[in-house]
Amino acid sequence: SPVIKSVKSTAEGLSVKWKRCTVPTGYLVYRKAEGEKEYTLIATIKGNTPKYTDKKVSSGKKYSYKIKQISGEYTSAYKEKGTTSTFIATVKNLIVSNSPKGVTLNWKVVKGAKGYSVWRKTGDKGKWKKIGTVKTKGGCVYNDKTTAYGKKNYYRVRAWKSSKVYGAYSKEAFLYSVNPNKPMVALTYDDGPYAPATNRILDTLEKYESRATFFVVGSRVDTYADCIRREASLGCEIANHTFSHPILTTCEPEVIKEEISKTDKLIKKYSGKDVRLVGAPGGAVSDKVRENVKHPLVNWSVDTLDWDHRTASKTVSSIKARAFDGAIILMHDLYLPTAAASEEAIPYLVSKGYQLVTVSEMLEAKGIVPQKGNLYTRG
Ligand code: ZN
């Protein structure tokens, strides 16, 4: 009959191992949770694999296991094992954000945990590395000051009770790390998408591992859904520039609300992400607009007037002359001269040491938590 060798907490759950029997046709796994009187059959294993991982265990409870052998016509008696173990729950709600302290991770408390280990992976093909430990006294916060700035970084966290008892990894969360101590600029493009211009801008951003914020017009989103998907996949931010581009200060509250919510839904549909920011057409903001737009509002600190002169060289010189750390630079991905200007301005700004980041990334890195009803024009 099978004899249990060990019951251990692993990242996936409780792992039960037993001595392999000679030629069984399979095993039956029984479990009894703390406080229960009877063992319950939880798994039937075909063939001769003498191990099973019980993933349906909950935090902090003790469990016992018994294994039965099925051999041909008969079933052998239980071979009991008094071994019990505990399991720590998986960390939930891991949120990663850029901050003045580097990359900040926050998560929810796990009951019974003595501490947490923090893991990071750089790039889609990177390898996971343990980068730190947080004792419960330190709360559920970790500041990563060693992140690879400018890269896409993934994070995961798991709770532990001892060196042998720990929970499963949390869901991965990722972000593009922004160095809070290096200058940064947020390029913004309004009124798109328009594939012939938008794609050239995205090509350039991709080549220079940079990002921008696109304040899109909702009525164009279905037509240029591929642009939205690509913007999202490159880590760009997609913000709301209303559905039909009215001057919001002249609209009724109900119209303002509808212009925003319709566009929110379309952006979510193609990007998978919730909208965080709104740009009002023409930058026209009043108390009525602040009250009826459910997101923080963003205007600009540098207006290139690209929509007016439609001359690439003028857009480029305006950026070269006026860029500064924390600038929000306004352009429109509706015009080919703006695409041409971007092909020159993006490598120029990168060569001058600017990180090209999204508006949300810049606000986070500068320690600004944007609030509904407020208007932001720089980071
Ligand atoms: Zn506009």
Side-chain angles (χ1 to χ4, degrees):
S1 303
V3 175
I4 292 176
K5 289 196 295 189
S6 63
V7 181
K8 281 183 185 164
S9 257
T10 71
E12 281 76 40
L14 286 173
S15 160
V16 187
K17 286 181 181 170
W18 55 90
K19 281 184 184 159
R20 189 187 294 271
C21 299
T22 43
V23 218
T25 53
Y27 299 102
L28 301 172
V29 182
Y30 291 82
R31 180 184 71 194
K32 189 173 80 169
E34 190 180 6
E36 288 175 1
K37 283 184 181 164
E38 302 292 327
Y39 277 88
T40 317
L41 178 66
I42 58 161
T44 304
I45 296 166
K46 286 179 182 161
N48 201 352
T49 305
K51 61 180 180 183
Y52 178 73
T53 300
D54 182 4
K55 294 176 182 171
K56 292 184 175 170
V57 285
S58 46
S59 173
K61 263 192 173 178
K62 289 186 175 179
Y63 297 89
S64 308
Y65 295 88
K66 285 178 176 180
I67 309 297
K68 233 178 186 182
Q69 178 188 343
I70 319 165
S71 247
E73 294 288 304
Y74 72 95
T75 306
S76 80
Y78 288 134
K79 208 68 179 177
E80 298 178 38
K81 176 87 177 178
T83 312
T84 58
S85 194
T86 52
F87 181 78
I88 299 285
T90 307
V91 167
K92 284 195 177 129
N93 294 64
L94 173 64
I95 295 167
V96 294
S97 53
N98 290 291
S99 81
K101 291 177 178 174
V103 172
T104 297
L105 289 77
N106 288 279
W107 60 90
K108 274 197 168 176
V109 178
V110 168
K111 241 183 158 183
K114 287 254 168 70
Y116 304 90
S117 60
V118 180
W119 299 68
R120 186 184 67 209
K121 182 176 95 170
T122 300
D124 288 330
K125 288 175 184 165
K127 279 189 179 163
W128 284 105
K129 257 193 195 166
K130 185 177 162 181
I131 56 162
T133 299
V134 176
K135 294 280 175 68
T136 39
K137 277 182 189 164
C140 296
V141 182
Y142 183 80
N143 288 307
D144 178 15
K145 292 170 187 163
T146 64
T147 191
Y149 288 120
K151 304 286 179 193
K152 186 181 189 183
N153 287 291
Y154 291 83
Y155 290 89
R156 65 186 188 188
V157 172
R158 67 181 185 185
W160 52 265
K161 200 168 183 179
S162 70
S163 60
K164 284 180 182 168
V165 179
Y166 43 85
Y169 293 111
S170 66
K171 261 195 193 166
E172 299 167 16
F174 75 85
L175 85 172
Y176 293 85
S177 300
V178 175
N179 189 339
N181 304 311
K182 263 186 71 183
M184 63 191 84
V185 148
L187 297 180
T188 66
Y189 295 92
D190 286 12
D191 297 356
Y194 172 55
T198 309
N199 279 327
R200 278 173 66 182
I201 294 162
L202 290 173
D203 289 344
T204 314
L205 289 168
E206 186 174 12
K207 186 174 169 191
Y208 292 94
E209 294 185 300
S210 293
R211 297 169 305 288
T213 305
F214 292 87
F215 287 86
V216 302
V217 172
S219 62
R220 307 179 66 85
V221 164
D222 275 324
T223 311
Y224 295 112
D226 283 345
C227 287
I228 302 288
R229 291 191 192 98
R230 189 168 171 220
E231 285 163 1
S233 78
L234 293 176
C236 290
E237 178 163 16
I238 301 150
N240 188 326
H241 197 46
T242 72
F243 186 80
S244 61
H245 208 270
I247 297 302
L248 294 178
T249 48
T250 66
C251 296
E252 293 300 317
E254 287 316 307
V255 175
I256 297 176
K257 284 178 187 165
E258 204 193 327
E259 284 279 335
I260 301 304
S261 65
K262 256 166 103 174
T263 306
D264 273 359
K265 280 180 198 141
L266 283 162
I267 294 172
K268 173 97 181 186
K269 180 178 170 188
Y270 297 115
S271 74
K273 288 179 190 163
D274 289 319
V275 167
R276 297 169 74 174
L277 303 170
V278 165
V285 173
S286 62
D287 285 347
K288 180 178 65 182
V289 174
R290 290 169 191 270
E291 278 160 29
N292 291 288
V293 170
K294 60 181 175 183
H295 305 296
L297 289 147
V298 173
N299 274 356
W300 53 86
S301 34
V302 175
D303 188 353
T304 62
L305 296 173
D306 63 329
W307 61 273
D308 187 23
H309 52 64
R310 302 196 194 177
T311 309
S313 61
K314 285 189 181 175
T315 304
V316 173
S317 12
S318 162
I319 293 172
K320 284 185 177 176
R322 297 164 65 202
F324 63 91
D325 178 26
I328 296 176
I329 299 176
L330 175 64
M331 287 182 274
H332 299 77
D333 55 333
L334 208 49
Y335 311 110
L336 294 178
T338 297
S342 300
E343 287 163 351
E344 199 181 328
I346 289 167
Y348 170 83
L349 290 167
V350 168
S351 78
K352 289 289 166 191
Y354 285 108
Q355 304 171 90
L356 302 189
V357 303
T358 68
V359 174
S360 284
E361 286 169 350
M362 187 158 82
L363 295 174
E364 282 175 356
K366 302 281 184 191
I368 299 164
V369 181
Q371 308 289 336
K372 175 195 178 298
N374 282 3
L375 175 66
Y376 300 87
T377 56
R378 51 174 294 164

